[in-house]
Amino acid sequence: MHLLFLFFGFLCANTFAAISFDKGSLTVDGAPAPFLFGAEVQYFRARGGSGRNVAPETVDALWDKLLDRVQEAHMNTLTLYVPWDFHEPEEGVFDFEGTLDRDKDGKPDYPSRNLKKFLEKIGDRGIRYVMIRPGPYINAEWGPHGFGAIPNWFFDKYPAAIAKTLTPNKPRTVSFSHPAFRTHVKGWFKALHENILKDTIGPGKPVVFLQLDNESNYFWDSIYERDWSEQGISRYRGFVKEHVGGPRAIAQRYGAPVDDINNLLPPKSAQDKTFPSSHWHYDWYHHHDLELRHYYQFLRDSWTKLNLNEPAVLFTSCDSFNAMPYGLLPRLDYRQEGKLSITTMNVYPKTIGSAEMSVLNFPMKAAHEARLVDGDRNDGRLVPAH
């Protein structure tokens, strides 16, 4: 989550004008690139203090110290999240230079918002390979409701866009397909592009990878917990209607009659036998895999409409899933239709322990996911992230 190491040994030949892969070798601006070793530096957390109004000089000194450590460790690649809520604290109010003064005391609230300066420091040090990760969802133990970096003002203004679960008091996240969410995501991307990315992506520029979202897995909730919002259930019913058919086809596939598709609900647990056929469960899984596929496509299309395209930058995605019943292993082939992105996988063999479960609860998970990536590769663009 915080450190991302990209290994390109699984890549087949993919050739572009500015950035290219050829038999596992990376070329940037016509020059062979070395094997990439990446360090994550979270400039937005390196604020120089716990509150507002820290002196810009203090932040600068801290950033310099962090980048010194990166170079001392011989890292040649740097990855960084860009949290939406940090840079748009009020709807339509953006700060990428660390100058916003919401408390009106004559001092900038958070000089650590000066992403322009941070990227300049990276460039001054000759760090040539940067992956930028602007979400909109970032699973970095950051955000007003656990993870996410979705702004508080969005949750307050658009409660219908919140992804509902069956369990009360779960952390709030968004329904990735809700129209209001997508509208504001496009606004976030546009502001980030105009203020930052248009000057840092392209030949001779440091940003060569752009991640489409980050671990879009609804907080690793069980597949049976997502997404029970009114809009989410409506989309599920639309999926069933499109992929299965009307009441007669549904009854034949699920093994029991359905009087009205508008009353159809998804399974509530792996033990739910409302419909005897396992196809009912499978279709709920299938629906969510396609939802994420369509979400990633929306994100990439939003960038390309801003004239941000390959080969000036390479798009990546980042999956992280648990096995049933804690989550659902992804259909990675869906992420690759139309060469959507270079897919990477975060591997977590350990999770939080409990009296019932050891922290070493998935000893074979890392190996399984590496095989999952390798076996699902269909065009050379799948890369395990270790």
Side-chain angles (χ1 to χ4, degrees):
M1 193 179 305
H2 297 292
L3 291 177
L4 182 63
F5 299 93
L6 297 182
F7 295 89
F8 294 97
F10 290 95
L11 290 166
C12 298
N14 285 283
T15 303
F16 310 105
I19 304 172
S20 67
F21 291 117
D22 184 14
K23 297 180 180 179
S25 298
L26 176 68
T27 301
V28 179
D29 296 339
F35 199 82
L36 301 188
F37 295 91
E40 171 79 13
V41 178
Q42 299 184 354
Y43 67 94
F44 51 93
R45 278 191 162 109
R47 300 194 294 271
S50 59
R52 298 187 180 201
N53 309 132
V54 174
E57 296 78 15
T58 300
V59 175
D60 283 352
L62 180 56
W63 285 354
D64 286 337
K65 184 180 293 186
L66 289 171
L67 293 174
D68 285 345
R69 301 293 89 80
V70 169
Q71 293 189 298
E72 289 170 7
H74 299 287
M75 298 290 104
N76 60 9
T77 303
L78 194 146
T79 73
L80 60 146
Y81 291 114
V82 183
W84 177 12
D85 64 323
F86 191 51
H87 290 284
E88 191 183 3
E90 299 178 27
E91 184 174 2
V93 177
F94 296 93
D95 183 12
F96 296 101
E97 297 183 351
T99 58
L100 186 64
D101 180 17
R102 295 174 72 194
D103 58 9
K104 308 299 182 185
D105 66 349
K107 302 176 182 178
D109 296 335
Y110 295 104
S112 53
R113 287 188 176 128
N114 196 346
L115 179 55
K116 286 185 178 181
K117 176 173 280 191
F118 185 70
L119 287 169
E120 287 172 1
K121 288 179 178 291
I122 293 171
D124 291 344
R125 290 166 178 268
I127 299 175
R128 183 61 190 86
Y129 313 107
V130 175
M131 173 185 285
I132 200 161
R133 308 203 275 167
Y137 181 90
I138 65 171
N139 211 6
E141 288 78 29
W142 171 275
H145 300 285
F147 304 160
I150 310 303
N152 238 341
W153 57 259
F154 181 84
F155 284 112
D156 294 340
K157 188 171 182 178
Y158 302 100
I162 297 173
K164 295 182 179 178
T165 68
L166 295 177
T167 304
N169 302 318
K170 285 271 190 176
R172 296 195 301 178
T173 188
V174 293
S175 177
F176 298 136
S177 299
H178 196 279
F181 175 64
R182 293 195 171 193
T183 295
H184 284 278
V185 166
K186 288 188 283 188
W188 160 237
F189 285 178
K190 183 174 185 290
L192 181 61
H193 181 258
E194 290 178 350
N195 287 277
I196 300 294
L197 297 183
K198 67 180 178 60
D199 298 320
T200 56
I201 290 177
K205 305 294 179 60
V207 177
V208 294
F209 301 102
L210 192 153
Q211 190 177 91
L212 302 174
D213 217 47
N214 175 251
E215 299 186 83
S216 316
N217 57 19
Y218 292 98
F219 297 129
W220 291 279
D221 273 339
S222 162
I223 190 66
Y224 297 103
E225 290 281 352
R226 53 176 122 145
D227 163 23
W228 285 76
S229 67
E230 180 178 341
Q231 195 254 1
I233 297 301
S234 176
R235 291 180 65 84
Y236 160 68
R237 290 168 178 160
F239 165 86
V240 172
K241 185 175 181 180
E242 177 181 355
H243 290 266
V244 180
R248 180 177 295 181
I250 294 171
Q252 183 176 2
R253 180 170 173 79
Y254 294 169
V258 176
D259 57 347
D260 184 349
I261 196 170
N262 293 318
N263 296 325
L264 179 66
L265 290 174
K268 295 182 178 181
S269 72
Q271 290 73 43
D272 194 334
K273 303 297 184 183
T274 301
F275 294 97
S277 171
S278 61
H279 288 300
W280 179 45
H281 290 258
Y282 174 78
D283 287 345
W284 178 238
Y285 308 158
H286 189 191
H287 160 65
H288 280 288
D289 266 323
L290 286 179
E291 284 280 281
L292 287 177
R293 169 63 178 83
H294 296 153
Y295 175 51
Y296 288 148
Q297 187 66 62
F298 155 75
L299 296 174
R300 175 159 176 160
D301 289 347
S302 297
W303 288 118
T304 58
K305 288 175 182 177
L306 294 170
N307 296 317
L308 191 55
N309 296 291
E310 294 182 343
V313 67
L314 293 184
F315 292 104
T316 75
S317 55
C318 181
D319 283 307
S320 178
F321 286 78
N322 279 333
M324 295 292 285
Y326 308 103
L328 180 68
L329 292 173
R331 284 287 303 269
L332 293 180
D333 56 325
Y334 285 174
R335 315 291 197 272
Q336 302 313 303
E337 294 172 354
K339 296 185 177 181
L340 176 62
S341 67
I342 295 174
T343 294
T344 69
M345 178 71 78
N346 277 1
V347 176
Y348 296 101
K350 300 179 184 180
T351 58
I352 297 173
S354 67
E356 296 78 24
M357 184 182 297
S358 165
V359 293
L360 292 172
N361 49 4
F362 294 115
M364 302 304 295
K365 186 170 181 286
H368 173 83
E369 288 178 343
R371 291 292 299 273
L372 176 70
V373 170
D374 192 29
D376 228 350
R377 185 177 69 249
N378 62 4
D379 70 353
R381 292 170 63 88
L382 291 172
V383 186
H386 298 270

